[in-house]
Amino acid sequence: MKLSDLGEFGLIDRIRRTFSQRSTKAPIGIGDDAAALSFSSSSTVLATTDLLIEGVHFDLATTDLYSLGWKSAAANLSDIAAMGGKPRFCLIGLGLPRRITVEQIDGFYKGFRALAGRHHALIIGGDTCRSEQGFLVSVTVLGESPRTRIVARSGSRPGDLIFVTGALGDSGAGLEILEKRSGTRRMTGKMTAAERSLVERHLRPVPRVEWGRKIAASGCASAMIDVSDGLSSDLGHICEASRVGAEVLADRVPLTKALLSSKGLRRPALEYALSAGEDYELLFTVPANKLRKLRNLRIPVTGIGRIMAGRTMTLITAAGTRLPLEPSGYDHFRPRVRTKGARP
Amino acid sequence: MKLSDLGEFGLIDRIRRTFSQRSTKAPIGIGDDAAALSFSSSSTVLATTDLLIEGVHFDLATTDLYSLGWKSAAANLSDIAAMGGKPRFCLIGLGLPRRITVEQIDGFYKGFRALAGRHHALIIGGDTCRSEQGFLVSVTVLGESPRTRIVARSGSRPGDLIFVTGALGDSGAGLEILEKRSGTRRMTGKMTAAERSLVERHLRPVPRVEWGRKIAASGCASAMIDVSDGLSSDLGHICEASRVGAEVLADRVPLTKALLSSKGLRRPALEYALSAGEDYELLFTVPANKLRKLRNLRIPVTGIGRIMAGRTMTLITAAGTRLPLEPSGYDHFRPRVRTKGARP
């Protein structure tokens, strides 16, 4: 169905009827001037917002709308996870080019709700408008956390150990595979199981909401961030906020078999972990005297290095060579600069 | 200064240092994964979000960046006002084309903060990214209100009287004047005082936050909305949500002297009030037995009609002719249709 058949208020009504979830915690949702929401009285409210722009953050040649909705939710739920919070409510703004169909919009919301729903986060408001340019998405997620259990980026101290959940780099490698298959000199043929796994991690990343809450509740972490820009940049954000440096052991950075076994990737596997981003794993630091608390949580984490005095980040290769580790993730306003030293 | 000289994280740091306001109510603001916010424990949280897209919602030929920032705040503060709430925290997402300078971005934030600051609402988070297309703005404002004092759109009952604050139509006429002066067949010459006043109301609208809170606190209003789409559309939203109809007296719709005296406007003054929108006045309904409560508030309101049983809206001209009043505000996904009957 064409958007022009439905009209703006028809679309809002359709979204409200189909995707708005009723709850006593959201007595007023989609369809009024603002949503009215109820939080636990002892909680701190967490708020995060992201803009996703066609041609900058995503390309409709490499993602379907369901996956785009899923990933839009993932990026924001992951920010709440990185504070140790529980996501509660989502607002979705969509800028819609004429070529987008009502069914595609449904797909977006279905994907968003599939992931948000896993975490009992409700879609309670938003905005829809025409875009003469690309497809635009803005997502705001509100969460909550007990006041004493929020983990900021700024608490790392020299000597703290650096951990990361899961494994890094799959998402960036998955994007490269998708791009190869959608370009003008299109790669064809069936994907291998490893390639499919990397692509899945790119299109449908799983934010570590439960792990983030457990880490925060245990009180073991001195700082935490989610890996959205790549390990080098996101560790850089922790070091910057905490005014410290770091040493990372290259051969400790967790990589999946899928990434290590995929043939035909343009870069060494570790580079995807260091600079590709969009893995949505949690990167956090733990003081030595709280390591037992972390172990008791029984979540899959890997120690990859430690926080140092000073303000430099160093990558130590398996051979013991020390290389400067510079933030090499994406910068929206700067041309991409390859820092040779940081790529072993 | 060019954006590429500063880089993404340089820009975020500049925004944080210059425009982020510290408060015990926002212990974590710009620069972490999410902001951490504190609301009164007895409050309901209000949340609203808007997307503003260059070429759809605004044209940089007719607005400066300071005014754009101001208006981006106004649109969202007005939504909180329409619920009877107090705005507290703002998140700003910006999609930035290469041609935008750092000074222009400063201008946007200054304009935003100038208005938000009047209402003690703090800028506490956001997102900045590159846009290959136009300048993009997404704003989320969080507010709060005592649970029992929220005014939704859905409470109007037949017999309730319809009121509007201030005067309508100036903003739409102001936009027309700006467009005439920026087009290829540019109108030149000095603006009259009346024209300047209309243009000011378009570029720097004043949301009725204090009036909204007073109306809500008094308990006099059965429904309320802000006039962002034009009287016909916004009254239509109240009627739709409340499942009622309405009669509006054309000669009671409040219009300013500036609007009535401006020569050379393309349409009759009333049309701007009915369909142009962006006035950000409050439109609300009051049961007859609560009129005294409203009068005691001593805010400038005008009674313009009443709520009726049934589902039709009627405009009654000064001569007594009854015309169907159809929502004629902007629909993002439909070509503009002129409904002849509704334009007296």
Side-chain angles (χ1 to χ4, degrees), chain A residues 37 45 51 127 130 140 330, chain B residues 37 45 51 127 130 140 330:
Chain A
L37 310 169
V45 172
L51 262 180
D127 188 22
R130 178 171 57 91
T140 301
Y330 188 73
Chain B
L37 309 169
V45 172
L51 262 180
D127 188 23
R130 178 170 58 91
T140 302
Y330 188 73

Side-chain angles (χ1 to χ4, degrees), chain B residues 267-331:
Chain B
R267 301 192 270 159
L270 182 60
E271 283 205 20
Y272 296 94
L274 292 179
S275 64
E278 298 199 309
D279 288 309
Y280 302 116
E281 297 290 353
L282 296 173
L283 176 70
F284 58 103
T285 61
V286 179
N289 64 358
K290 294 189 172 165
L291 283 174
R292 202 164 45 170
K293 284 187 177 178
L294 173 62
R295 276 192 217 106
N296 289 343
L297 298 179
R298 300 179 178 281
I299 58 181
V301 298
T302 309
I304 60 169
R306 60 179 169 169
I307 296 297
M308 309 294 288
R311 297 295 293 270
T312 52
M313 297 199 301
T314 306
L315 185 71
I316 304 176
T317 68
T321 311
R322 299 174 64 87
L323 300 169
L325 178 64
E326 304 200 3
S328 55
Y330 188 73
D331 185 311

Side-chain angles (χ1 to χ4, degrees), chain B residues 44-62:
Chain B
T44 291
V45 172
L46 302 170
T48 182
T49 193
D50 265 332
L51 262 180
L52 292 98
I53 302 177
E54 186 178 354
V56 175
H57 298 89
F58 62 90
D59 182 341
L60 292 183
T62 58

Side-chain angles (χ1 to χ4, degrees), chain A residues 32-34 127, chain B residues 47-52 57 67-83 87 90 111-112 115-116 119 137-141 153 202-209 225-229 278-282:
Chain A
D32 216 301
D33 296 287
D127 188 22
Chain B
T48 182
T49 193
D50 265 332
L51 262 180
L52 292 98
H57 298 89
S67 297
L68 182 63
W70 176 288
K71 196 166 176 173
S72 303
N76 284 274
L77 294 177
S78 183
D79 281 326
I80 299 293
M83 306 295 285
C90 311
F112 193 104
L115 181 59
H119 301 287
V137 182
S138 88
V139 175
T140 302
V141 173
R153 296 178 178 178
H202 179 72
L203 292 178
R204 309 265 175 95
V206 176
R208 305 310 192 181
V209 175
I225 192 171
D226 67 319
V227 182
S228 55
D229 295 333
E278 298 199 309
D279 288 309
Y280 302 116
E281 297 290 353
L282 296 173

